[in-house]
Amino acid sequence: MADDQPAWKIPPIVQELAAGVQEPPSRYVVGGQDRPAVAVAAMPEPIPIVDLSRLSSTDDGADEAAKLLSALQNWGLFLAVGHGMDPGFLAEMIGVTRGFFNLPLDEKQKYSNLANGKEFRNEGYGNDVVLSEDQVLDWCDRLYLIVEPESRIVRSLWPAQPPAFCDVLREYTARCREIAGVVLASVARLLGLHEGRFVSMMSEGVAMTHARFNYYPRCPEPDRVFGLRPHSDASVITVVLIDDAVSGLQVQKPTDGGGGWYDVPIVPNALLVNVGDVTEIMSNGLFRSPVHRAVTNAESDRVSLAMFYTLDPEKEIEPLPELVDDKRPRRYRKTTTKDYLAVLFERFTRGERALDTVKIDLNDD
């Protein structure tokens, strides 16, 4: 029953909490060896910057494709420039994001992800789901919306304030859809597939795009908390708009086998694009989904916007048959988008990877 929810399942809004504490409460404090200040390493090589406008160019396309291939094989992500969105528009998107989080709490709570003030739903404003009393909480508030397709959008959860929020988000969604198409076509070509192999999947059934607006308040002791705990994305790809003013994203290099953490550099007006778990599964491990985390800052707050591209909930996810043979046997079990997302949300709360539940141990043969 909703009225029987224990208090620990409904944590406070972090933005409100942060305004009145000198140190993070114990529920947010990460264990010593896992803390953000530990094991941040010097970058072994730069994260590639890929000019999307050149990927299909007859003159420069091969060079950009080579950079993209290196990025996906070594990092699972890249910084995208030449994406067609001018700095003013990106600043406007960041501006309405900040504008929403700067609204009075009563106004933001109109879009709460707690139905009737008690029952958690993924969409809306608030915190991520809390499944256990000893779960370490993230120093982050978020607004989570479905933005595509139109049939799945819950308009009552789209903020009326700031006044430009909805119009800017609609335009940004359309622009990001174009970027996703360019990237997915290039990914297919790099894998030796028809360039429409992944793009067509994004039009099947009810493939959805989810927007997650993140707000990371200033933290008095940023080395003791996570803005967002280590995780990988359950998407096909993710496109992230990062506030240029403050660094706060760290990534593990997949080819390091889960070793050190590296700061993702700030490149003004670039978008961060990473492959998700679904692409790792479908590529049979040729492209790896990177584990990443968000850290906080004692001096400044920070916002970001992540667009997650997912397949139809009933779509079966498994290695593509073109990428499985005797030399490279199947490395992942079959699942569906819906089942994988359910596992991911549950494992995310424990700091574990959903991908581990579908990996096949080839040493068992």
Side-chain angles (χ1 to χ4, degrees):
M1 298 286 293
D3 292 339
D4 296 331
Q5 292 278 18
W8 57 260
K9 280 205 159 198
I10 307 174
I13 295 297
V14 181
Q15 188 175 7
E16 302 295 311
L17 175 69
V21 298
Q22 300 302 312
E23 61 180 18
S26 59
R27 294 188 71 188
Y28 296 86
V29 175
V30 179
Q33 67 179 14
D34 296 324
R35 288 180 181 175
V38 177
V40 176
M43 190 73 75
E45 76 259 356
I47 293 174
I49 299 173
V50 178
D51 188 336
L52 300 184
S53 68
R54 296 181 177 179
L55 276 176
S56 58
S57 167
T58 55
D59 296 325
D60 305 312
D63 291 341
E64 292 303 311
K67 284 199 285 186
L68 178 59
L69 178 62
S70 174
L72 298 181
Q73 288 179 330
N74 292 304
W75 289 100
L77 54 78
F78 63 95
L79 291 159
V81 297
H83 45 62
M85 286 188 271
D86 63 59
F89 179 69
L90 295 179
E92 192 174 7
M93 189 69 253
I94 288 291
V96 296
T97 300
R98 281 194 170 277
F100 171 77
F101 287 110
N102 287 337
L103 292 171
L105 180 60
D106 288 349
E107 180 68 23
K108 290 181 289 192
Q109 292 285 29
K110 293 177 181 178
Y111 313 101
S112 174
N113 62 356
L114 295 174
N116 303 315
K118 296 288 185 180
E119 297 176 354
F120 177 84
R121 59 188 174 191
N122 198 44
E123 281 190 90
Y125 165 72
N127 311 111
D128 288 320
V129 65
V130 179
L131 297 180
S132 68
E133 192 168 3
D134 60 355
Q135 178 179 325
V136 177
L137 305 180
D138 292 327
W139 198 259
C140 175
D141 299 324
R142 67 9 168 233
L143 172 67
Y144 200 96
L145 302 172
I146 294 174
V147 294
E148 293 176 316
E150 185 69 30
S151 62
R152 290 299 182 97
I153 292 175
V154 182
R155 288 293 177 195
S156 61
L157 292 176
W158 281 47
Q161 299 293 330
F165 186 97
C166 293
D167 288 342
V168 175
L169 178 56
R170 276 192 287 267
E171 177 67 18
Y172 184 77
T173 298
R175 300 285 195 90
C176 280
R177 166 61 65 167
E178 296 173 2
I179 291 168
V182 170
V183 174
L184 290 174
S186 298
V187 168
R189 288 194 298 268
L190 292 173
L191 290 170
L193 306 171
H194 182 273
E195 69 174 28
R197 191 72 161 91
F198 295 116
V199 174
S200 63
M201 292 182 190
M202 299 306 301
S203 301
E204 294 176 2
V206 191
M208 285 185 278
T209 306
H210 307 254
R212 177 178 170 128
F213 302 79
N214 297 300
Y215 179 78
Y216 304 101
R218 288 184 295 176
C219 181
E221 297 181 357
D223 60 340
R224 300 181 66 201
V225 306
F226 285 133
L228 197 59
R229 73 197 62 207
H231 65 283
S232 59
D233 298 339
S235 58
V236 179
I237 63 166
T238 305
V239 178
V240 187
L241 174 60
I242 301 172
D243 191 341
D244 286 347
V246 184
S247 176
L249 187 63
Q250 296 175 344
V251 64
Q252 287 184 326
K253 192 177 182 186
T255 52
D256 282 354
W261 289 96
Y262 307 101
D263 289 320
V264 176
I266 291 177
V267 175
N269 305 312
L271 299 171
L272 181 71
V273 181
N274 65 270
V275 298
D277 294 352
V278 173
T279 293
E280 177 166 339
I281 293 169
M282 291 194 296
S283 73
N284 204 26
L286 291 169
F287 294 155
R288 304 274 293 282
S289 174
V291 176
H292 49 286
R293 67 188 186 186
V295 296
T296 61
N297 188 290
E299 306 300 326
S300 303
D301 60 0
R302 188 170 70 86
V303 297
S304 66
L305 168 56
M307 304 286 277
F308 302 100
Y309 292 86
T310 65
L311 301 180
D312 182 275
E314 303 300 331
K315 175 75 174 179
E316 291 186 338
I317 305 167
E318 62 181 324
L320 297 177
E322 303 98 309
L323 303 177
V324 177
D325 55 33
D326 292 339
K327 292 182 179 180
R328 190 172 185 84
R330 172 188 290 261
R331 299 185 175 211
Y332 305 88
R333 284 182 280 275
K334 182 188 296 186
T335 184
T336 65
T337 301
K338 177 176 64 179
D339 291 343
Y340 192 76
L341 284 171
V343 171
L344 179 129
F345 286 127
E346 189 269 333
R347 287 220 155 197
F348 174 78
T349 65
R350 304 202 306 260
E352 299 172 354
R353 292 193 76 184
L355 198 62
D356 292 336
T357 66
V358 297
K359 283 184 177 178
I360 296 173
D361 187 352
L362 299 179
N363 294 322
D364 287 346
D365 295 337

